[in-house]
Amino acid sequence: MIASTGSVARERTWDSFDDNRDAIFRRFKDGSYSPDTGASPDELQRMADAYLLENPDQSRILQKANIFRMVLTHGRIDVDPEDWFAEKIDHGNVLRKLTHGARGDQDFGPGLWLEEAAAGNLKSGTDWFDQAQEHGVTTGPRSGLDLGHISPGWDKLLARGLSGLLDDIAQARASLGDAISKDQDAFYSALEIVYGAAIDFASRLSNFASAAAESQPEHSTKLGAITRALSNVPAHRPRTLHEALQFMWLMHQLIEMEGENVRSMGQFDRTLYPFYRADVGAGRITDDHARELIKFFWHKWYCGTEGAANGKNFVFGGQAADGSEITNELTYLALDAYEELNTPDPKLSVRYLPGSPERLYDRVADLIRKGHNSFVLMNDETAVEALVKRGKTPEDARIYLPIGCYEPAVEGKEVACTMNVTVNLAKPLELALNDGVDPRTGVRLGPATGDASGFESYDDLHAAYITQLDHVLNNSRQHIAEAEREWPRINPAPFISGAIDDCIATGADISAGGARYNSVGFVGAGLANAADSLFALKAAAFDGARFTMAEIVDATRTDFYGREDMRLYLRNRVPKWGNNEPGVDAVAKGVADHFCATVHSFTNGRGGGCQAALFTLVAAASFGALSGATPDGRKSGESLAPGVGASYGLDIGGVTGLINSVSTLDFTETPNGSVLDVSLHPTAVAGEDGLNAFVGLIKTFFSQGGYAIQFNVLDAETLRDAQRNPEQYASLQVRITGWSVYFTTLTRKEQDQYIARIVHAG
């Protein structure tokens, strides 16, 4: 039992979330650590620096593991007496400073492992990516090494506990015997160090909570529950839903402390259902209590992001490895908790099969139209086929998790670095029109492909575009592979590696390719701008000869100065992607097909494949700001199109035309993900008929082979009123890209851009 009847009455243990949430948030952001509990971050940093000086010849993975243990053993700790979960250690990002350098607005200083590599073996690649990013060609990590999209094997962790993983390590060592290599021995030793340290750390927290329960009897029930939970997990398999949630939260925090950003918290209603069902069946918990625990649990992620970052992904629905549909009572209980929580983080993904329950469609659509829009809806048939085409078994593909926003990876078996590079698909056309030179800066970024004014046919133009695009893709592949070969020296990751198949069996860290599947993500952004611009030149300069190539090229170089008539014609009179227009749709499909086929021909630096994606996230604005005027009528500096959809305001054929265009793409060739952004006016989905129409729209997209879709149901006037009266709209959520935020937390410029984006739906 989590709480006795007496303690419930005395402490109001249950139904206390609304009373406690603000205090928990404040203490999470500004934790109070007693010096009696351990060393300060400055002291930990000095200890880590001294260790490195004393052990300069030790392998990087053992240096990392020993500093990990040092932090967990000596760092200051705390437990919030009003929370159900504990994790607090004042680690000062000592490990991230060792491996990552700057993170967000935190500058951890020079001389770190990533910076050393960037200035040494990776200098040419880092210089290339720096130049590409400065000119809007690509964006992503400056080394080309994605360390920020990963998920452990949650099923494995909850089934085995860290003691189970330690048993696996011992068996693997024994099976190798004298044949064990130096690297394998170091890897196993590192795992033993970090898992032992995590178990000891949980004991520290458990003892702290136990002592606090004696001094704070008014909080003894929650503190007692934490004490008991951490005396069992993460060392052993959880016995209850509360222990399972505590295990997952603690593992999340320790993996991120190690230096990896956990971007998926697993298949919630599959992984946690056995614990929930056992608790309810044994009378240990009620549905109301389970919902309360989930709210406390999910509140931890909001505390970390304040609703202003890209959040964590919890997955619902879909199928198990055998293909059976897994939606259950916990699915709906969690959705109820999400509605009551009413925050933009965490974000939820819902996987759908043709046989998914109508209730699931209706419930999710209803939440979205009410403003709870932290959802991406995914088509399992397409996503699973895409993964199988890239070498995953059907059983493995069926247990994919969206890593980050929409990028699927096999849970516990794949290290899917999903965003090594995002490529501006429109920029190669700008280079093709200017002989490989960026007209904005005069810097040569691509090969010479000739004077565009002299192109005699659309085929000449298209060939120049493909040459420029391939130059970007091939350079990206080369430098990403170089970076991945340096990964074991930049960020070895023993703590998460043991939770990924087959790292323990092979004796290799994830950084050394130890996982069963190793992939690299190439994201294509701005498909609509590339397709619309190519088609505009085809229609206006070659097929129709309304303008000459020289006239259009000159107009784009001058941002259509003095040629507004041309710009309006190119923008409004030439068919656009997203309107079910066969000509431009064929051009878009051709660009997407070439991008995907080229990416899939690559091998990465860990011996795995590269995988294509089509979406933009925040790159739409950043790429647009660094791109000149384009032949689709877009002016210099304006944002590119969102996701895989039409340019803002140009899907004049309505949502049906948009879906029909997007469905011409083969999304089984985007195993790294894709998404369609759709804005709907509230009146379109109001009432029972509106809900039925909304669900029908989702089903139509999936039946036509769509990959993933996300929605905003808003009208422009509501957003304008929120600008005028922000205090009245503190909880208004908008879906920006792969995550949601509070509208009032955006800058005025960002708000204006967002209103312009959805105004045609209002």
Side-chain angles (χ1 to χ4, degrees), residues 684-708:
V685 294
E688 184 176 353
D689 289 344
L691 181 63
N692 292 336
F694 195 177
V695 170
L697 175 66
I698 298 166
K699 290 183 176 180
T700 297
F701 180 67
F702 289 162
S703 70
Q704 294 180 198
Y707 191 97

Side-chain angles (χ1 to χ4, degrees), residues 284-302:
R284 288 190 293 264
I285 201 169
T286 68
D287 277 355
D288 287 343
H289 296 164
R291 187 168 59 251
E292 178 95 344
L293 276 179
I294 292 168
K295 288 194 289 186
F296 272 94
F297 179 61
W298 279 348
H299 186 52
K300 309 295 285 189
W301 275 271
Y302 175 73

Side-chain angles (χ1 to χ4, degrees), residues 252-418:
H252 170 274
Q253 292 299 92
L254 295 183
I255 292 169
E256 295 221 328
M257 187 189 83
E258 183 187 43
E260 295 75 51
N261 293 336
V262 180
R263 291 297 176 84
S264 179
M265 290 303 299
Q267 184 85 39
F268 193 94
D269 48 358
R270 184 193 72 222
T271 298
L272 292 169
Y273 183 70
F275 301 100
Y276 157 77
R277 189 68 261 163
D279 277 359
V280 172
R284 288 190 293 264
I285 201 169
T286 68
D287 277 355
D288 287 343
H289 296 164
R291 187 168 59 251
E292 178 95 344
L293 276 179
I294 292 168
K295 288 194 289 186
F296 272 94
F297 179 61
W298 279 348
H299 186 52
K300 309 295 285 189
W301 275 271
Y302 175 73
C303 289
T305 66
E306 300 182 62
N310 57 15
K312 304 295 176 180
N313 208 326
F314 289 84
V315 188
F316 293 87
Q319 57 193 307
D322 63 3
S324 58
E325 214 278 340
I326 64 172
T327 305
N328 53 52
E329 309 98 281
L330 185 58
T331 310
Y332 302 108
L333 186 72
L335 293 176
D336 290 345
Y338 164 73
E339 181 175 23
E340 294 171 12
L341 191 62
N342 195 27
T343 56
D345 197 26
K347 57 188 179 185
L348 310 184
S349 294
V350 185
R351 295 170 43 182
Y352 288 94
L353 294 160
S356 292
E358 288 296 318
R359 180 184 175 190
L360 183 63
Y361 277 102
D362 289 347
R363 182 64 173 124
V364 172
D366 187 47
L367 283 168
I368 294 171
R369 69 176 181 172
K370 289 178 178 177
H372 306 286
N373 57 11
S374 291
F375 284 100
V376 59
L377 314 184
M378 303 189 70
N379 182 359
D380 255 22
E381 285 195 317
T382 300
V384 169
E385 184 179 349
L387 293 174
V388 170
K389 288 174 78 169
R390 302 265 56 86
K392 281 78 171 179
T393 67
E395 293 77 13
D396 285 346
R398 291 182 189 124
I399 58 169
Y400 76 87
L401 298 174
I403 300 293
C405 300
Y406 339 101
E407 314 97 274
V410 179
E411 179 177 355
K413 300 183 180 183
E414 183 172 10
V415 177
C417 303
T418 61

Side-chain angles (χ1 to χ4, degrees), residues 303-594:
C303 289
T305 66
E306 300 182 62
N310 57 15
K312 304 295 176 180
N313 208 326
F314 289 84
V315 188
F316 293 87
Q319 57 193 307
D322 63 3
S324 58
E325 214 278 340
I326 64 172
T327 305
N328 53 52
E329 309 98 281
L330 185 58
T331 310
Y332 302 108
L333 186 72
L335 293 176
D336 290 345
Y338 164 73
E339 181 175 23
E340 294 171 12
L341 191 62
N342 195 27
T343 56
D345 197 26
K347 57 188 179 185
L348 310 184
S349 294
V350 185
R351 295 170 43 182
Y352 288 94
L353 294 160
S356 292
E358 288 296 318
R359 180 184 175 190
L360 183 63
Y361 277 102
D362 289 347
R363 182 64 173 124
V364 172
D366 187 47
L367 283 168
I368 294 171
R369 69 176 181 172
K370 289 178 178 177
H372 306 286
N373 57 11
S374 291
F375 284 100
V376 59
L377 314 184
M378 303 189 70
N379 182 359
D380 255 22
E381 285 195 317
T382 300
V384 169
E385 184 179 349
L387 293 174
V388 170
K389 288 174 78 169
R390 302 265 56 86
K392 281 78 171 179
T393 67
E395 293 77 13
D396 285 346
R398 291 182 189 124
I399 58 169
Y400 76 87
L401 298 174
I403 300 293
C405 300
Y406 339 101
E407 314 97 274
V410 179
E411 179 177 355
K413 300 183 180 183
E414 183 172 10
V415 177
C417 303
T418 61
M419 292 193 66
N420 294 72
V421 64
T422 300
V423 176
N424 180 350
L425 295 176
K427 193 72 177 187
L429 179 60
E430 186 176 23
L431 299 180
L433 296 181
N434 293 278
D435 197 27
V437 174
D438 182 2
R440 188 177 61 88
T441 63
V443 174
R444 174 166 293 283
L445 301 175
T449 46
D451 180 359
S453 299
F455 291 162
E456 296 182 356
S457 68
Y458 175 74
D459 289 343
D460 291 342
L461 168 67
H462 188 267
Y465 171 74
I466 293 299
T467 296
Q468 299 293 343
L469 176 59
D470 285 352
H471 175 76
V472 175
L473 295 178
N474 280 294
N475 274 278
S476 297
R477 179 213 60 80
Q478 174 189 338
H479 296 309
I480 289 169
E482 292 168 352
E484 290 208 304
R485 287 190 283 270
E486 289 291 310
W487 190 351
R489 289 187 53 77
I490 294 171
N491 189 45
F495 191 72
I496 194 173
S497 289
I500 304 287
D501 294 352
D502 303 313
C503 291
I504 290 177
T506 60
D509 189 73
I510 61 168
S511 63
R516 181 168 303 177
Y517 303 115
N518 296 282
S519 55
V520 156
F522 280 64
V523 181
L527 175 65
N529 303 95
D532 289 347
S533 294
L534 284 165
F535 187 76
L537 291 167
K538 183 178 187 296
F542 294 111
D543 295 350
R546 184 178 182 91
F547 308 106
T548 66
M549 275 293 293
E551 287 175 325
I552 297 177
V553 170
D554 182 65
T556 58
R557 289 173 180 169
T558 60
D559 201 20
F560 293 103
Y561 180 76
R563 295 307 310 264
E564 184 67 3
D565 60 330
M566 176 193 290
R567 190 186 76 83
L568 292 176
Y569 179 87
L570 294 172
R571 176 177 171 83
N572 299 322
R573 300 292 296 278
V574 178
K576 293 291 184 291
W577 167 250
N579 294 285
N580 199 25
E581 294 281 355
V584 68
D585 288 359
V587 171
K589 178 172 170 52
V591 171
D593 286 349
H594 180 84

Side-chain angles (χ1 to χ4, degrees), residues 56-75:
D57 298 325
Q58 193 174 57
S59 67
R60 288 277 170 90
I61 195 168
L62 284 172
Q63 290 178 330
K64 183 91 171 280
N66 279 293
I67 294 174
F68 184 96
R69 177 170 58 187
M70 183 184 301
V71 170
L72 290 188
T73 302
H74 298 290

Side-chain angles (χ1 to χ4, degrees), residues 526-692:
L527 175 65
N529 303 95
D532 289 347
S533 294
L534 284 165
F535 187 76
L537 291 167
K538 183 178 187 296
F542 294 111
D543 295 350
R546 184 178 182 91
F547 308 106
T548 66
M549 275 293 293
E551 287 175 325
I552 297 177
V553 170
D554 182 65
T556 58
R557 289 173 180 169
T558 60
D559 201 20
F560 293 103
Y561 180 76
R563 295 307 310 264
E564 184 67 3
D565 60 330
M566 176 193 290
R567 190 186 76 83
L568 292 176
Y569 179 87
L570 294 172
R571 176 177 171 83
N572 299 322
R573 300 292 296 278
V574 178
K576 293 291 184 291
W577 167 250
N579 294 285
N580 199 25
E581 294 281 355
V584 68
D585 288 359
V587 171
K589 178 172 170 52
V591 171
D593 286 349
H594 180 84
F595 172 76
C596 294
T598 303
V599 169
H600 294 158
S601 71
F602 296 155
T603 299
N604 64 46
R606 290 172 289 139
C610 297
Q611 298 188 155
L614 293 170
F615 55 81
T616 56
L617 298 179
V618 295
S622 61
F623 279 157
L626 297 173
S627 297
T630 43
D632 57 352
R634 179 192 142 274
K635 297 202 72 176
S636 177
E638 290 182 354
S639 176
L640 300 187
V644 74
S647 291
Y648 296 128
L650 294 184
D651 48 340
I652 57 176
V655 69
T656 300
L658 179 62
I659 286 176
N660 287 339
S661 283
V662 171
S663 297
T664 63
L665 303 179
D666 183 358
F667 288 110
T668 68
E669 292 296 328
T670 58
N672 197 52
S674 184
V675 71
L676 176 62
D677 294 87
V678 176
S679 295
L680 299 172
H681 194 278
T683 57
V685 294
E688 184 176 353
D689 289 344
L691 181 63
N692 292 336

